[in-house]
Amino acid sequence: MAKRSNGVEKIKRFRLSDLVRGTYSPMMRFSLLSVSLVLASALSVSAAVPQWQKAFPGHSYSAIEIIATMPSLAVIIMLLLSNWVAKYMKPKRTVIVGLLISGVFGMIPLIATNYYVVLISRFCFGIGLGLINGLAVSLIGTFFEGKLKDRLMGYRSGFEMLGNAICAYIAGALLVDYGWHSSFLVYAIAFPVAILFYYFVPEPKEEPKMEVSKRAPRLNPDVVFWTMLLAAYQITYVGATVRLSSFIEHAHLGTIAQSAMIISIAPFFGLMGGIVFGNALTAFRKFMLPLALLATGISQIIVGLAHGFFTAALGMFLITMLDTMVVTYILNVAADIAPKGTLNVTTSILLIGSNIGIFLAPVVLGGINQVFSSDSPRLSFWVSGIALLVMGGVGIYDLLFIRHKLFR
């Protein structure tokens, strides 16, 4: 009997050994990556910006755009608290709770008619996203390593774009057929993702505790640089996303339905960027990021100079594809710049920078319009394009002549 019980125990241990790092099933990987389907969905309803302006006429254009970016403010706050929350709730439960909060509050604008109720519901929706944002990235580094980790990081960004594409397509179709309220139904996607995560993703083993240093902690300049770079980049990307519909309508290039079509198709190009990320990194190595910044700048200018619908669409497709590659690259750098035992914290700081950029995009673009005394949405594409060309040029110069003091 003792031998038999030992045999049963070995079988149990063998099944539990599936938790050994890097040996997880395809369904576990899919369920973990599927969390990212929800992360990028905040902007999927941005095609409705012109209709929001008509529904809430007493508010400025920048205030209307903040409806799209408001979740990022909550994400910033929750990223600061997510490590503490995950410590007491455990990472798996934190992700599930975050998904449920996102689903419930994401759909409140289905019935809300007051600007402030919509804004508050968007903030609460962002609380859910903030709970899962850092963990969606750092759990890949916890469960996997090496080339598999790099590949899954690329896929994760691709999943974000896939989720954005699905949500944007459904939101656009609902927007055209039933009005802007119905477009918020897309956030119901959070519920099946929560079910998948509950059944297939195990509770991760606790990461080694960081060794306590007797010296006072210092601010890591690498983390500061990459956080600021990511924030600046996201301002340009989100600016293009939230202003595309207004630009196409203002320049008489197409209809709201056609704008929604671009926004729903663009994430598939983002998915393509996630798929080719690993190969691009192998081919261009340290030059990949500055080259991608230059290419994004050119793409922004293409949209800004567009006098035809298809030219604007092409530029937006390229912007979205390159966004995936740039963001994935910067998040991938976290493992190299994070002090020992602080990968989750470093990832959270980078994501805070990203969400600061997302939230501030309407404010910054509104300020640009005021500086140039212009209300043309075309202007934001020109300014963003020039800024990105400068950033990419600095990166190339740094790598060639300063020997990557900043870029790596």
Side-chain angles (χ1 to χ4, degrees):
M1 286 294 290
K3 287 184 178 179
R4 189 174 177 182
S5 64
N6 285 340
V8 172
E9 214 171 344
K10 283 182 181 178
I11 291 172
K12 287 181 179 178
R13 277 202 295 265
F14 175 75
R15 287 174 179 172
L16 288 173
S17 71
D18 187 49
L19 302 186
V20 174
R21 202 175 190 206
T23 63
Y24 303 95
S25 69
M27 198 62 201
M28 177 272 181
R29 298 178 193 181
F30 175 79
S31 301
L32 178 58
L33 292 172
S34 69
V35 174
S36 295
L37 292 173
V38 182
L39 286 179
S41 63
L43 295 175
S44 61
V45 294
S46 58
V49 169
Q51 287 200 10
W52 293 342
Q53 194 173 21
K54 294 172 184 176
F56 308 117
H59 299 274
S60 68
Y61 194 76
S62 294
I64 296 300
E65 289 178 324
I66 283 177
I67 293 175
T69 62
M70 175 55 78
S72 296
L73 178 61
V75 170
I76 293 167
I77 296 170
M78 292 312 300
L79 280 170
L80 294 171
L81 301 175
S82 62
N83 284 315
W84 179 82
V85 173
K87 179 181 177 181
Y88 288 95
M89 287 181 60
K90 301 297 182 183
K92 181 173 181 175
R93 187 180 299 173
T94 301
V95 171
I96 293 170
V97 170
L99 287 167
L100 294 177
I101 290 173
S102 298
V104 171
F105 286 97
M107 292 193 294
I108 282 180
L110 277 168
I111 56 174
T113 56
N114 180 276
Y115 171 81
Y116 294 104
V117 173
V118 172
L119 206 61
I120 291 170
S121 70
R122 293 289 284 168
F123 180 85
C124 294
F125 168 71
I127 289 176
L129 294 185
L131 286 172
I132 64 178
N133 206 322
L135 289 170
V137 178
S138 62
L139 283 177
I140 294 175
T142 300
F143 286 123
F144 304 97
E145 58 187 358
K147 290 185 177 180
L148 177 58
K149 186 207 79 171
D150 293 341
R151 190 162 66 248
L152 289 175
M153 285 290 285
Y155 290 163
R156 189 207 69 80
S157 294
F159 265 65
E160 277 197 15
M161 289 300 173
L162 180 61
N164 195 1
I166 293 170
C167 291
Y169 174 78
I170 296 172
L174 292 170
L175 170 68
V176 173
D177 293 337
Y178 303 105
W180 67 267
H181 287 283
S182 63
S183 61
F184 289 89
L185 187 61
V186 297
Y187 296 121
I189 192 176
F191 299 121
V193 172
I195 293 170
L196 283 174
F197 196 89
Y198 174 79
Y199 280 108
F200 294 104
V201 179
E203 189 71 63
K205 293 180 179 179
E206 225 176 340
E207 286 193 357
K209 291 183 179 180
M210 185 178 173
E211 293 179 8
V212 179
S213 173
K214 293 181 180 179
R215 293 179 297 179
R218 293 185 302 171
L219 198 61
N220 189 320
D222 283 335
V223 176
V224 173
F225 168 74
W226 288 103
T227 301
M228 292 176 63
L229 179 64
L230 186 55
Y233 183 82
Q234 289 292 53
I235 288 173
T236 67
Y237 170 69
V238 175
T241 303
V242 300
R243 295 229 160 163
L244 183 70
S245 294
S246 301
F247 166 66
I248 288 177
E249 189 177 54
H250 186 272
H252 306 291
L253 302 181
T255 64
I256 290 179
Q258 289 174 312
S259 302
M261 182 182 70
I262 294 177
I263 291 172
S264 64
I265 294 175
F268 286 107
F269 285 82
L271 177 61
M272 189 187 306
I275 292 171
V276 303
F277 171 77
N279 292 332
L281 184 59
T282 301
F284 298 107
R285 297 181 182 273
K286 60 186 179 181
F287 287 97
M288 177 183 157
L289 180 60
L291 289 174
L293 292 173
L294 291 172
T296 310
I298 293 170
S299 302
Q300 290 265 5
I301 292 173
I302 287 173
V303 178
L305 296 175
H307 291 284
F309 174 78
F310 291 104
T311 304
L314 174 63
M316 192 65 209
F317 294 156
L318 291 173
I319 289 169
T320 308
M321 183 179 75
L322 291 161
D323 173 74
T324 305
M325 300 177 75
V326 170
V327 173
T328 303
Y329 184 97
I330 294 175
L331 291 179
N332 218 31
V333 166
D336 298 325
I337 64 175
K340 184 179 178 182
T342 64
L343 178 58
N344 283 358
V345 175
T346 301
T347 302
S348 294
I349 292 172
L350 288 170
L351 291 171
I352 287 169
S354 175
N355 283 279
I356 287 174
I358 293 171
F359 176 70
L360 289 180
V363 178
V364 173
L365 297 178
I368 290 171
N369 285 127
Q370 287 185 350
V371 168
F372 289 92
S373 300
S374 171
D375 60 353
S376 173
R378 192 185 293 271
L379 178 64
S380 63
F381 290 96
W382 292 343
V383 174
S384 294
I386 293 169
L388 286 164
L389 290 176
V390 171
M391 289 161 61
V394 170
I396 294 289
Y397 181 83
D398 176 56
L399 291 172
L400 288 178
F401 301 106
I402 310 179
R403 300 191 181 279
H404 52 85
K405 293 293 185 182
L406 295 174
F407 287 74
R408 63 173 67 200

